[in-house]
Structures are given as structure tokens and as C-alpha cells.
Amino acid sequence: MDATSQAVGTATAGGPVVGGQPGPADPLVPYLSADFPWYGLDEGWTGRRYLMQAGAGGPRAAAGSVDYGSLGHGEEPARQYEPRDMRRFAVVVTVARRDSRRSADNTGTLEATSASSAAWLAGSGLLAATWPGQLDRALRQDWLDQQSALAWDLADDLSGPGWSTLSLPVNGLPQPFRYRESEYGWVLAGEAPGVLLGAYGRGVSAYGTGFATVPDLTAYTRP
């Protein structure tokens, strides 16, 4: 597993400084600063699109660098438990292809990214969005820790029995992905030109999805 897999929730953003105080962060800034293409669902998806989060590959990554990010489709996943939450969504995770490299402070090495990176980020994203409502809030972290460890192990063994193969279009061409379902939703991971791809969702069939590069990210900023 690479360092990117440990970076869930490490957001990168920026905004103007007004009167000596930081202004509202422009959510597009980290996405536009990335040195890799972003992927979302293709034109077959006609529903809502929205930005989620872009981040760096670990606490020692170069300042301002962006290594991965997510684009949402459908209803936004709940940020906290809602009774009978039936939100339908699909999230596409784009991960930069990175070779093994020195950390920004030169104290260590960041491992190369792989399809397992995308699988882990997608799996942990699904967990964060779909924790069981019957759990007491005090027990949520224990559940997340347990399930995250399982997701980590699964992501490290994409060729194992926990995954099946699913062919989906990427820019119109079939591409193999590793796929698995659970009671909380589905997760898949694979490769695309220039990047690694992960995705997760619930209430939206993974079998009917397709991916494509995003030529204009402003489509993800509209209400």
C-alpha cells in the first residue's frame, strides 16, 4: 500500500487574501492545480455533478501538491447519520500515477501509487458515507477502524477472491476493473490513460456506469 492510501481527508485548497484575512476558498483551485486529468462519469450520466475533495498523498508530500481527488454524481452522501438514508450517488476517485519518490522534507520515500491506492480511497469513501444507522455514535469510530482495516486488506489484494472483474467504458473504450459489492454499496478500481481510477456508489448501478475525462470542471460547480 502506498502513502496516498493514508491521505484520506487531507484536503488542499486556496483562496484570496482580503484585508489580511484569507477569503473563501475557491473549491476549483486544488483541482485546477493538478498535473493529471480528472475523470468523472461519462455523458450517459445526466444528473447532478459536484466537487468533493482533492488532496495530497500524505503529510510529507510537497506543499500545494495534489495527488488525488473525487467528483460526485447524484445526491451528496450524508455527512452524518440520517434515519433510512436512501441517497443515490456515484463518486469517481482519480489518483495520479506517481513513481516512488522522496518526501518533500527528504526524510523518507513515498511509494508508487497503484490501483490499490484507488481501491483504498474508494473503499474508505464508501465507509464514511454509509455507516450503519443502528450504531451508537460512540461506537462509530470503532466500526470505522474495523471496516477500514478490512478495506485496506482487500485493496492490497485486488486479485483475490474478494473482487470480481467488470469491464466498463473509459473514454468510450472497454477497460477492466476490479469490483466488489457489500451491504453498504459497491467499490471498483482500475486504470485509465494517465491515472488510476476508483469509484464507489449506492443506489446507482455500477454495471451501467462509464468514465470519461472532464474537459470543463465548471460543470461540477453548478447548483
Side-chain angles (χ1 to χ4, degrees), residues 41-46 49 210 212:
L41 296 187
D42 62 19
E43 68 278 0
W45 176 263
T46 59
R49 298 171 183 258

Side-chain angles (χ1 to χ4, degrees), residues 143-200:
W143 179 86
L144 279 174
D145 290 344
Q146 179 187 55
Q147 294 299 313
S148 294
L150 176 61
W152 183 288
D153 291 340
L154 284 166
D156 259 345
D157 187 22
L158 288 179
S159 61
W163 300 86
S164 59
T165 300
L166 180 62
S167 180
L168 295 171
V170 177
N171 289 331
L173 299 175
Q175 180 71 29
F177 286 88
R178 300 299 287 169
Y179 171 80
R180 68 181 179 89
E181 291 185 7
S182 73
E183 61 183 298
Y184 308 112
W186 52 264
V187 173
L188 58 82
E191 302 184 10
V195 301
L196 304 156
L197 279 187
Y200 62 94

